[in-house]
Amino acid sequence: MGLAISGSTLSALNRFSGLKQSGEGNPNHFLNIEQYQLVDELTEIIIPATKTPGAKEAKVAAFIDLVLADCYGEKEKKIFTDGLQQLMNYKFLTHSSVKQKEILENMERESMITRNVSNEMDCWRMLKELTLLGYFSSEVGIKSCFDYQPVPGKLENVKWENGMKMIAY
């Protein structure tokens, strides 16, 4: 993904993996129930289930909740929850999928303006980045999008063929 992952994020990934394997854990570490449900829907809009599993199946909302609790400072948490509150004020989940996409496209445009003017972090940018990080660091995401080869494994030359998945170690 070309992304440097901080030590605190790696720690959260490790903790999240341990919770998933043990079957433990309240899915709500930072977000309340309504916020969690909203994030769950938003992540599925960003990475919907198609031929591959979507963000819900990869439990991306639980990952985001844990990362917010363990890795983000109060300023970032407030930015994220303020953005969620704005969507809740729009009653986002009650709208049709067409209207939901329109609202998110507006958030995307506003985010681009914010990025270009002040380079300030905003809820939409955080949500998209965490969704991608959560999905592609999950077992569901990596196995559905890459030819996962656990390490250690034998080294063999692979001839690239048309339509072949990228290999992830």
Side-chain angles (χ1 to χ4, degrees):
M1 289 185 338
L3 174 69
I5 300 176
S6 68
S8 58
T9 304
L10 287 173
S11 173
L13 285 170
N14 188 40
R15 183 170 165 220
F16 181 69
S17 176
L19 289 175
K20 280 177 45 181
Q21 289 173 354
S22 67
E24 295 176 17
N26 173 5
N28 305 99
H29 298 278
F30 172 71
L31 302 171
N32 65 36
I33 298 296
E34 293 81 19
Q35 292 169 330
Y36 184 88
Q37 289 170 341
L38 178 58
V39 168
D40 200 32
E41 292 301 320
L42 291 168
T43 60
E44 188 68 17
I45 291 170
I46 294 169
I47 302 179
T50 55
K51 293 178 189 172
T52 59
K56 280 187 179 182
E57 192 170 333
K59 299 183 181 13
V60 173
F63 169 81
I64 291 173
D65 190 26
L66 182 65
V67 170
L68 285 169
D70 285 356
C71 302
Y72 280 77
E74 293 307 314
K75 179 182 176 185
E76 291 84 8
K77 289 177 184 179
K78 181 168 178 19
I79 290 169
F80 194 83
T81 55
D82 286 351
L84 292 181
Q85 188 59 51
Q86 186 179 19
L87 287 171
M88 291 166 83
N89 291 344
Y90 291 150
K91 301 197 182 313
F92 182 82
L93 295 177
T94 63
H95 292 291
S96 69
S97 62
V98 172
K99 180 67 175 171
Q100 287 177 347
K101 288 179 183 174
E102 182 182 309
I103 292 169
L104 295 180
E105 286 170 358
N106 287 335
M107 281 184 74
E108 176 79 22
R109 277 191 288 280
E110 290 174 19
S111 177
M112 294 299 286
I113 292 168
T114 301
R115 224 176 284 176
N116 291 335
V117 172
S118 65
N119 203 27
E120 287 285 320
M121 184 60 76
D122 59 73
C123 177
W124 180 247
R125 183 199 267 175
M126 290 170 64
L127 178 66
K128 285 179 69 175
E129 288 176 358
L130 289 171
T131 299
L132 292 172
L133 179 61
Y135 186 79
F136 288 108
S137 60
S138 73
E139 183 177 353
V140 169
I142 201 159
K143 285 186 175 178
S144 65
C145 297
F146 297 97
D147 180 14
Y148 178 69
Q149 300 292 324
V151 172
K154 65 181 182 175
L155 178 64
E156 43 183 271
N157 290 328
V158 177
K159 182 178 181 213
W160 195 262
E161 296 178 17
N162 195 18
M164 193 172 168
K165 289 183 179 180
M166 290 183 65
I167 298 174
Y169 291 95

